[in-house]
Amino acid sequence: MPALTLTDNHPDDGDHPVLFENISRDLLLKGYSINPYALPLGLAEELWQHLQQMPNTAFANAGIGRQQAYSRNGFVRSNLIAWIQDDCPAEQHWLQWATGLQSYLNRRLFLGLFSFESHFAHYATGDFYKRHLDAFKGQANRVISLIVYLNRDWNPSDGGELMLYQPAADQDPLRVTPTFGTVVAFLSEDFPHEVLPARRDRYSIAGWYRLNSSHPERVDPPS
Ligand code: OGA
Ligand code: MN
């Protein structure tokens, strides 16, 4: 993870400068950003509608790790995922929004984020995702994790909180209720986190901004 620095220029791109600016500053100052009800409402509604009409068969068991490291392990993680592509308007609009944030972070924080990958996640009652890191120092090219929640009328008694553990041992973990439109971002290598068991269906999008790790022996395709 490169050290973050804030540039002096004041980018003014698109419809979301306040949210994007808040996320940039939070990442710089704290390494994480939690923004309740912050996703543009039209986009949140469109993604929710899209989820309603997705067939169950679109969701597959989530693996731990990617590609060759793929292995299913129900003990660590029990939710289902569906990777997002750009083959329907809702997913296109999500990717446009996420790449807008990518450009903003690149200009504001000199990050050099190169690509973005994301999936829908469905946690049924009782599902969880135990404490884990999204990227490991030294080998990782996932730099920033981005999570958005699509749960209407979520009550604290519904469980399913995201627990974000701070790098400093003396700081309390952060507890995020997965309410509709809440946007969370954090440095992938620095914040272990977990999803507590949900007591009703819980929907989120999880995504990662990556650096380009290509070198001559191994081409890392953007996904
Ligand atoms: C993940 C993840 C958190 C959430 O998919 O890696 O940590 O709240 N998701 O859905
Ligand atoms: Mn994670």
Side-chain angles (χ1 to χ4, degrees), residues 2 27 33 39 49 80 116 123 128 135 169 173 189 213 223:
L27 288 173
S33 182
L39 194 69
Q49 293 288 347
L80 298 173
F116 180 71
Y123 295 72
F128 57 83
E189 291 178 350
S213 65
S223 43

Side-chain angles (χ1 to χ4, degrees), residues 77 119 123 129 132 134 147 149 162 193 195 202 204 206 208:
R77 168 175 206 183
H119 60 58
Y123 295 72
Y129 192 165
H132 66 280
D134 287 344
I147 305 173
Y149 296 105
L162 173 71
H193 53 282
V195 178
R202 175 196 192 272
S204 57
W208 298 273

Side-chain angles (χ1 to χ4, degrees), residues 147-151 162 176-182 184 202-204:
I147 305 173
V148 163
Y149 296 105
L150 297 170
N151 305 299
L162 173 71
V176 183
T177 305
T179 48
F180 197 70
T182 295
V184 177
R202 175 196 192 272
Y203 292 95
S204 57

Side-chain angles (χ1 to χ4, degrees), residues 74-90:
F75 180 68
V76 175
R77 168 175 206 183
S78 59
N79 61 318
L80 298 173
I81 64 166
W83 287 97
I84 292 179
Q85 276 133 4
D86 62 352
D87 53 6
C88 72

Side-chain angles (χ1 to χ4, degrees), residues 53-137:
Q53 52 82 52
M54 273 171 72
N56 284 341
T57 51
F59 284 86
N61 276 100
I64 306 296
R66 312 177 73 241
Q67 294 160 359
Q68 57 274 61
Y70 189 94
S71 71
R72 274 177 51 186
N73 186 341
F75 180 68
V76 175
R77 168 175 206 183
S78 59
N79 61 318
L80 298 173
I81 64 166
W83 287 97
I84 292 179
Q85 276 133 4
D86 62 352
D87 53 6
C88 72
E91 299 191 7
Q92 284 160 6
H93 294 150
W94 160 252
L95 292 173
Q96 279 160 16
W97 183 84
T99 49
L101 175 57
Q102 175 178 326
S103 310
Y104 197 95
L105 294 172
N106 278 342
R107 280 205 274 156
R108 201 79 173 104
L109 303 176
F110 287 127
L111 273 177
L113 305 173
F114 176 76
S115 69
F116 180 71
E117 59 186 344
S118 60
H119 60 58
F120 292 105
H122 173 208
Y123 295 72
T125 301
D127 282 354
F128 57 83
Y129 192 165
K130 293 216 161 152
R131 182 173 167 140
H132 66 280
L133 277 170
D134 287 344
F136 295 97
K137 285 193 202 297

